[in-house]
């Protein structure tokens, strides 16, 4: 496994492979866990050369967010990448060239949910992912469904810009007790971690309620809100999975998404809801 720490090294590695082998990319911000490992496992059989990028992208953090304390563990990350078959790990200290002045912005899909409370976030994500696609020249890239809005925004960007990259979404990986894996779980103290379980419990209750025949979204979100034990609820919404627009009833496919804070830690989670035909 090669470790490439500059954009030039990444470009040279990619140039030697582009058009010859199918290249897969798992973009990450490091502090890797089993959720990231599942994305490597998902792509490994779909490509001949597998790259993981590790870069804490300042552009996607707003003022007062956790850029300065985002957890890091390069040694552990490299071990996980090697164990899950990565051929190269891209670990640039800085990613943007001098004079960088381009921003990629997807409209519509970025306006609600996390976009409403994190106004610069998705522009930062799409800008960095577009640059990573350019540097790595990947044919396929994987992103976790835990960041469901991010996944849909990146699908839109890739289609709109005709980028020749297949986007693959990986299912959410959870701890045995239901907590969705996230690098930010490291911030939680034991009491907060116990309360954080209320996110997945509330979402599961929504799923069960839909299966039991409750299709009215106002009733579903009232149920979910009653089960959440958080310091601040950002949103609990049921949306159309393609448009991310709120729906009033769960008639076909829908997605329930939640974002909430425990102390200074903001957590997100989501589940698919499907009304019985
Ligand atoms: O999901 C993440 O870890 C980040 O938003 C991503 C896609 C690596 C871009 O920095």
């Amino acid at each position: 496994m090669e470790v490439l720490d500059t954009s030039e090294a990444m470009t040279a590695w990619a140039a030697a492979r582009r058009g010859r082998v199918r290249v897969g990319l798992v973009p990450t911000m490091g502090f890797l866990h089993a959720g990231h490992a599942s994305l490597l496992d998902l792509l490994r059989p779909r490509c001949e050369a597998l790259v993981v990028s590790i870069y804490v992208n300042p552009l996607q953090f707003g003022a007062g967010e956790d850029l300065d304390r985002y957890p890091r563990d390069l040694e552990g990350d490299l071990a996980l990448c090697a164990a899950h078959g990565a051929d190269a790990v891209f670990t640039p200290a800085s990613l943007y060239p001098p004079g960088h002045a381009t921003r990629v912005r997807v409209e519509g899909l970025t306006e609600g949910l996390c976009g409403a409370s994190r106004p610069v976030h998705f522009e930062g994500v799409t800008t960095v992912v577009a640059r990573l696609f350019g540097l790595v020249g990947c044919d396929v890239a994987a992103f976790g469904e835990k960041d469901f809005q991010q996944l849909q925004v990146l699908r839109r960007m890739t289609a709109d810009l005709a980028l020749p990259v297949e986007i693959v979404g990986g299912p959410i990986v959870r701890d045995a007790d239901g907590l969705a894996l996230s690098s930010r779980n490291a911030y939680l103290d034991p009491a907060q971690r116990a309360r954080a379980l209320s996110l997945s419990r509330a979402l599961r209750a929504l799923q069960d309620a839909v299966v039991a025949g409750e299709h009215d979204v106002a009733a579903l979100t009232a149920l979910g809100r009653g089960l959440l034990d958080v310091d601040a609820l950002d949103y609990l919404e049921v949306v159309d999975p393609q448009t991310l627009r709120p729906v009033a009833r769960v008639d076909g496919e829908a997605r329930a998404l939640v974002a909430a804070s425990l102390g200074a830690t903001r957590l997100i989670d989501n589940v698919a809801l499907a009304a019985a035909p």
Side-chain angles (χ1 to χ4, degrees), residues 202 205-211 213-227 236 238 248-250 273:
L206 261 66
Q207 271 183 323
D208 291 347
V210 170
V211 170
E214 179 59 82
H215 294 182
D216 178 62
V217 167
L220 289 167
T221 51
L223 168 74
R225 278 205 185 88
L227 294 169
L236 171 63
V238 177
R249 288 185 59 77
V250 180
L273 302 177

Side-chain angles (χ1 to χ4, degrees), residues 111-183:
E111 278 152 27
L113 302 169
C114 288
S117 51
R118 304 187 73 195
V120 300
H121 175 66
F122 288 112
E123 185 173 297
V125 170
T126 42
T127 299
V128 77
V129 171
R131 177 154 171 86
L132 287 167
F133 284 1
L135 287 168
V136 177
C138 51
D139 302 284
V140 57
F143 300 88
E145 285 184 351
K146 192 181 132 281
D147 297 294
F148 189 77
Q149 187 176 15
Q150 167 175 282
L151 174 63
Q152 299 304 59
V153 167
L154 290 170
R155 286 190 202 280
R156 185 78 260 160
M157 173 190 83
T158 306
D160 289 357
L161 299 181
L163 302 177
V165 182
E166 180 195 351
I167 304 291
V168 177
I172 298 178
V173 178
R174 298 178 181 280
D175 273 333
D177 57 11
L179 185 67
L181 295 193
S182 162
S183 304

Side-chain angles (χ1 to χ4, degrees), residues 171-211:
I172 298 178
V173 178
R174 298 178 181 280
D175 273 333
D177 57 11
L179 185 67
L181 295 193
S182 162
S183 304
R184 290 187 168 102
N185 292 350
Y187 298 144
L188 300 170
D189 66 28
Q192 289 172 331
R193 195 193 172 289
R195 295 172 66 210
L197 288 177
S198 69
L199 272 71
S200 53
R201 272 204 214 106
L203 292 174
R204 175 56 71 92
L206 261 66
Q207 271 183 323
D208 291 347
V210 170
V211 170

